[in-house]
Amino acid sequence: MCGIFAALGCADCSQAQRARVLACSRRLKHRGPDWSGLYQHEGNFLAQQRLAVVSPLSGDQPLYNEDRSVVVVANGEIYNHKKIRKQFTGKHAFTTGSDCEVIIPLYEEYGENFVDMLDGVFAFVLYDTRNNTYMAARDAIGVNPLYIGWGGDGSVWFSSEMKALNEDCVRFELFPPGHLYSSATAGFRRWYNPRWFLEQVPDTPYDPLVLRAAFEKAVIKRLMTDVPFGVLLSGGLDSSLVASVTKRHLVETEAAEKFGTELHSFVVGLEGSPDLKAAREVADYLGTIHHEFYFTVQDGIDAIEEVIYHDETYDVTTIRASTPMFLMARKIKSLGVKMVLSGEGSDELLGGYLYFHFAPNKEEFHKETCRKVKALHQYDCLRANKATSAWGLEVRVPFLDKEFIDVAMGMDPEWKMYDKDLGRIEKWVMRKAFDDEENPYLPKHILYRQKEQFSDGVGYSWIDGLKAFTEQQITDEMMSNAAKLYPYNTPVNKEAYYYRMIFERLFPQDSARETVPWGPSIACSTPAAIEWVEQWKASNDPSGRFISSHDAAAAAGVAHANGNGVAAVANGHAAVNGAVSGAEVGVAIAA
């Protein structure tokens, strides 16, 4: 992933302002350590910090049309760029091998009404010198980050991360996914309008072969690379399927011609973590070159301030999960790998989180998946992108392919629901789609392994250690004054207070704290789903361990959900009292 920055319509076009723009852009250098570029036309500036994954010997940005009257900076991967290039043979003279260069001829041909023609993930800003107008756009789900800000002189600023805006803009906010911003109207409009967005319950029957084909296509298109790559492998269903499909189809790709057919897999966790053993087993089964990375609880605690700086959030679940991923990304990059595939998005699309077991009916189930997918840009997409981009590593997420989303969100949600009587566990539709007896993708016990949250799967001692550490750092007196010190999104426990304290020091602006979502959650639920079970309202810990349908909870004597979704729930406060100390614990975490 690259870093883009733009300041448009600035009253000051002096060298001093140019230097300031450069300084802001350099705050994104971790995202793109390979090259940087800056374009200026009067008071309009466009800059990019490049991570070269496609066409590393060309494609430096900004990108231009033939007479340099149209300028683009982009952070993205356009998987259908070759098809678009053919469309403009003889009409446009391409000067680089960059997949993002196709944005320019599409704009010249269709004006601003071309964004839905792009198949990929992206955030870009385009400036047209001929009429002094500009536009910006962000991909459908918000896989790639983008922020917008406003200067005191009426200028409009854009950046991949808010750390390049927060000191110069009078206000700034998240750029909404699936939208474009046009200077012609000085406002946003939605370009991504799928049927599921209205949250109407679909009735398309489940077809396992259609679901399988859509996912395999999504993985294959993401093997477009000119640099070494690998897969993050936790041993759970999602990452294991990504690895399996990648391994199966790698030989058919151009990447195999450049780098061979050996596939590298990576895992991180505490020693004895739930993920570690399963990841090794999947790696052995698939024949990947497997790399295990270890960290201690203290390693993670020491990294938290950096994680909050890069993630730009104080959300507890995001920080818990980001920290091991952040540590692992550094190790991966040190091996010369610049791109990895990962399994984010499946749980939101398919209702894979354990709390979905308690959805009262398919209507509520589907609405919750819609809410979760719409919010991904503030949670898992943010984590996966920023925790890895901190070290110049790109993550690609095939589950969030637009075509796969259409299939997954277009099926009758009755098929996705947990049903003990029918033998359906979470994400049964995906498990069944890849349950191939003749040519198996995965061993049965891996294919039907129960869901772990990433931050729990890397080792339960990680969460317990964080809680014990923050319990020592934050006094009861500090907590009693939390509402006075932090009236907006007031921390509800000491762990949340500790993260907020760091965030406020790094990003003290009102606009910054308002970019972070807040509200009650259980096992990654939205606040609306808390209403499904009365006992959930008493918990202030978001971990999936405290959902009663989890195997560990069941072993402790807590009831499973029955076929109607009725269950008892472990009390979140009681369940966390066995926290271990923050002393060093050997760790092997899975990606």
Side-chain angles (χ1 to χ4, degrees):
M1 293 296 171
C2 305
I4 63 170
F5 178 85
L8 298 150
C10 297
D12 182 359
C13 56
S14 68
Q15 178 61 34
Q17 178 69 356
R18 182 183 176 94
R20 183 58 192 163
V21 167
L22 281 168
C24 292
S25 176
R26 287 181 185 129
R27 293 182 184 177
L28 308 175
K29 189 177 289 186
H30 54 276
R31 298 184 61 87
D34 297 334
W35 192 250
S36 60
L38 172 64
Y39 169 86
Q40 179 184 359
H41 176 74
E42 298 176 346
N44 302 287
F45 303 84
L46 290 86
Q48 196 229 29
Q49 303 289 336
R50 188 186 184 203
L51 179 68
V53 174
V54 174
S55 189
L57 296 180
S58 69
D60 289 342
Q61 297 191 30
L63 301 165
Y64 305 91
N65 65 346
E66 292 90 337
D67 64 3
R68 298 174 72 88
S69 60
V70 176
V71 190
V72 168
V73 287
N75 166 31
E77 301 294 340
I78 310 302
Y79 300 117
N80 62 338
H81 77 103
K82 290 185 178 179
K83 180 179 178 181
I84 296 173
R85 282 174 179 265
K86 290 180 181 178
Q87 176 185 340
F88 289 99
T89 300
K91 297 181 181 179
H92 177 83
F94 291 93
T95 59
T96 77
S98 170
D99 49 299
C100 291
E101 190 178 351
V102 299
I103 292 170
I104 294 172
L106 285 171
Y107 168 77
E108 292 183 314
E109 182 79 12
Y110 301 103
E112 295 179 346
N113 300 314
F114 70 89
V115 184
D116 62 348
M117 302 176 191
L118 300 173
D119 181 9
V121 296
F122 50 81
F124 70 82
V125 180
L126 180 150
Y127 175 60
D128 190 337
T129 65
R130 296 169 298 192
N131 50 23
N132 198 35
T133 60
Y134 57 88
M135 66 173 291
R138 189 177 182 188
D139 66 71
I141 303 299
V143 173
N144 286 10
L146 189 62
Y147 294 79
I148 181 172
W150 290 267
D153 59 356
S155 56
V156 181
W157 299 44
F158 302 92
S159 176
S160 295
E161 297 181 3
M162 70 179 180
K163 58 180 60 69
L165 301 178
N166 65 320
E167 293 181 1
D168 291 83
C169 294
V170 294
R171 67 182 178 93
F172 54 90
E173 62 189 42
L174 286 167
F175 192 108
H179 282 73
L180 68 83
Y181 179 92
S182 172
S183 65
T185 59
F188 293 100
R189 74 170 184 268
R190 172 168 285 283
W191 64 264
Y192 180 56
N193 296 289
R195 292 180 61 185
W196 64 265
F197 214 82
L198 299 176
E199 300 185 8
Q200 297 173 349
V201 180
D203 57 7
T204 302
Y206 166 58
D207 187 329
L209 295 182
V210 170
L211 189 67
R212 182 201 292 186
F215 183 68
E216 290 194 303
K217 183 179 179 182
V219 172
I220 293 167
K221 71 175 67 171
R222 280 159 179 78
L223 301 182
M224 176 186 79
T225 179
D226 293 320
V227 298
F229 74 100
V231 294
L232 305 186
L233 180 61
S234 70
L237 177 70
D238 306 333
S239 64
S240 296
L241 284 178
V242 171
S244 180
V245 174
T246 301
K247 181 67 176 177
R248 183 167 296 203
H249 293 285
L250 180 57
V251 69
E252 308 161 10
T253 67
E254 292 182 8
E257 298 176 8
K258 301 167 187 172
F259 307 111
T261 58
E262 295 284 3
L263 179 64
H264 290 259
S265 58
F266 307 95
V267 65
V268 60
L270 299 173
E271 187 174 344
S273 68
D275 287 345
L276 191 59
K277 180 181 177 182
R280 166 57 64 185
E281 189 172 5
V282 174
D284 289 344
Y285 179 82
L286 297 177
T288 67
I289 300 174
H290 193 54
H291 307 267
E292 293 178 354
F293 301 124
Y294 299 83
F295 77 96
T296 66
V297 171
Q298 189 62 53
D299 290 335
I301 289 171
D302 290 342
I304 284 175
E305 182 160 338
E306 281 187 284
V307 169
I308 293 173
Y309 173 75
H310 284 289
D311 275 12
E312 303 176 325
T313 187
Y314 47 85
D315 175 68
V316 171
T317 300
T318 301
I319 294 167
R320 287 176 173 181
S322 290
T323 303
M325 199 171 196
F326 171 84
L327 296 171
M328 176 177 56
R330 186 177 192 180
K331 290 282 193 178
I332 293 173
K333 186 62 182 292
S334 72
L335 297 177
V337 172
K338 296 176 74 172
M339 184 272 283
V340 290
L341 275 67
S342 188
E344 278 75 16
S346 171
D347 291 311
E348 289 77 10
L349 291 167
L350 304 174
Y353 292 113
L354 299 178
Y355 75 90
F356 274 96
H357 289 199
F358 307 106
N361 51 57
K362 71 177 185 179
E363 289 78 15
E364 280 299 309
F365 186 104
H366 181 68
K367 289 179 180 179
E368 178 70 359
T369 61
C370 292
R371 291 189 290 262
K372 289 294 293 179
V373 175
K374 290 176 183 178
L376 267 169
H377 67 287
Q378 294 179 293
Y379 295 101
D380 283 25
C381 289
L382 179 151
R383 167 184 56 79
N385 184 285
K386 291 183 178 179
T388 55
S389 291
W391 303 107
L393 179 68
E394 176 176 308
V395 168
R396 296 182 181 177
V397 285
F399 279 106
L400 296 180
D401 179 83
K402 276 198 302 182
E403 293 180 33
F404 181 77
I405 291 173
D406 287 343
V407 174
M409 295 297 284
M411 76 172 73
D412 187 336
E414 187 76 37
W415 291 92
K416 299 180 185 179
M417 294 185 70
Y418 172 85
D419 193 319
K420 185 177 181 180
D421 295 336
L422 294 177
R424 296 178 186 170
I425 64 173
E426 65 277 355
K427 294 182 286 194
W428 177 85
V429 292
M430 201 70 184
R431 302 175 198 271
K432 183 65 175 175
F434 284 89
D435 193 351
D436 189 329
E437 295 285 352
E438 295 184 1
N439 192 15
Y441 287 79
L442 293 169
K444 286 272 191 181
H445 62 283
I446 293 292
L447 193 60
Y448 289 94
R449 182 192 183 207
Q450 189 183 40
K451 165 71 181 172
E452 289 277 3
Q453 289 195 176
F454 179 81
S455 52
D456 285 343
V458 300
Y460 291 139
S461 297
W462 168 233
I463 303 303
D464 293 337
L466 279 177
K467 295 177 72 65
F469 170 75
T470 54
E471 181 72 26
Q472 296 167 358
Q473 299 298 309
I474 306 301
T475 66
D476 292 343
E477 182 180 3
M478 294 166 75
M479 281 302 303
S480 68
N481 288 302
K484 295 178 182 178
L485 189 59
Y486 305 120
Y488 183 86
N489 289 350
T490 303
V492 295
N493 57 44
K494 292 184 178 182
E495 186 182 0
Y497 190 110
Y498 182 76
Y499 300 155
R500 182 64 175 273
M501 188 169 59
I502 296 172
F503 180 91
E504 291 285 341
R505 177 159 42 81
L506 296 170
F507 306 106
Q509 299 81 8
D510 288 343
S511 291
R513 65 181 66 97
E514 291 169 4
T515 65
V516 181
W518 200 247
S521 177
I522 188 79
C524 297
S525 74
T526 68
I530 294 287
E531 301 299 318
W532 293 350
V533 178
E534 183 65 28
Q535 294 95 323
W536 290 353
K537 300 174 186 178
S539 175
N540 66 5
D541 188 286
S543 175
R545 278 183 282 168
F546 310 127
I547 292 291
S548 65
S549 58
H550 195 289
D551 288 341
V558 184
H560 272 260
N562 64 24
N564 296 319
V566 179
V569 177
N571 182 282
H573 300 288
V576 300
N577 286 339
V580 299
S581 73
E584 275 199 1
V585 180
V587 180
I589 293 189

